Structure formats: C-alpha cells, structure tokens
Amino acid sequence: MKKESDFFEQVWQVVALIPRGRVTSYGAIARYLGSASASRTVGYAMNASHASTVRIPAHRVVNRNGMLTGKHWFGGPGVMQQLLESEGISVVEDKITEFEKHFWDPNKELTI
DNA sequence: AAGTTGACCCCGA
DNA sequence: TTCGGGGCCAACT
C-alpha cells in the first residue's frame, strides 16, 4: 500500500481533530507525530493543507507564542482572525489572547 | 543528487 | 527589551 500516511496527512489528521474553539502549536503537532523538531515541516504541511480533500482548520494552528504567523496565507489579512473570533477565540494584534486557555495539546488530549 | 526554502523553536548578545 | 544566528526535519527545484 502506498504510504498514505505522509507527514502531511498526519498533520492534517491532528489539525482536523482540534476541537472548535481550541488552538494548538506547530511544535505540539510535530511532537505528536514523533518529530519534535519538525515544527517547520508542520508549517510546510499546512501550506499544502489546501491539497487535502478535507477542510483543514489551519487557523487553529499558530506558533508557540500564539501569534497568527500564517494569516497572510488565508487569502487575506483578518480572515484567520475572524475565523478564530467566530469560534470564541479573542485575537489582538495577530496574537491569541489567553493562548494557554485555548491551547490544545494533542499529546495530552489524544492517545497515541 | 545537491542545494534552497519554509505558516518554527531555542539560545545568546 | 529587541535583534541575530543556529538547528531541526521534510518537501521543492
């Protein structure tokens, strides 16, 4: 069988499992996949999220500081923030307020 | 095959 | 506090 479980698909799976109103970080996903230092690759996978057949809530994935680094990739500035606010997440200056409260760690919530 | 890129993360000055 | 450099992994050219 062809390895459907590409790194991208694994990332998409985790992101797709993010509950509404929660966010996670690239590093957390990378660790969940086993490659703790592959945080950069996780972001790269997000770039290819549009290739996935399922909708990938990439707006729920932010950097370690809770900053919306990839908002520009959503087709326009403010789109990512609006999506987060729509889920009850406050975003100020491209940063998620109370990021710790909204943080969702796959290693913690999900069982490997 | 080799070099470059990327929506990152960590440490030092 | 802000700024700079290094490291890590996978995909792209």
Side-chain angles (χ1 to χ4, degrees), chain A residues 38-107:
Chain A
S39 49
R40 305 189 68 179
T41 313
V42 173
Y44 198 83
M46 293 279 91
N47 189 7
S49 60
H50 64 85
S52 179
T53 54
V54 295
R55 189 170 76 88
I56 305 298
H59 59 274
R60 295 182 188 150
V61 185
V62 294
N63 66 356
R64 210 46 171 161
N65 297 319
M67 188 167 71
L68 283 56
T69 51
K71 65 163 189 168
H72 189 70
W73 266 245
F74 276 76
V79 177
M80 187 174 183
Q81 177 176 340
Q82 204 165 26
L83 287 168
L84 290 170
E85 290 182 338
S86 183
E87 299 189 352
I89 300 175
S90 304
V91 178
V92 178
E93 297 288 302
D94 301 341
K95 284 169 291 208
I96 296 175
T97 61
E98 301 183 292
F99 175 63
E100 304 174 6
K101 288 169 75 171
H102 295 299
F103 185 72
W104 179 83
D105 190 348
N107 301 282

Side-chain angles (χ1 to χ4, degrees), chain A residues 11-33:
Chain A
V11 174
W12 297 338
Q13 284 293 315
V14 178
V15 176
L17 290 173
I18 300 174
R20 181 179 168 283
R22 300 281 181 186
V23 292
T24 190
S25 63
Y26 303 95
I29 297 173
R31 276 175 22 168
Y32 178 73
L33 298 179

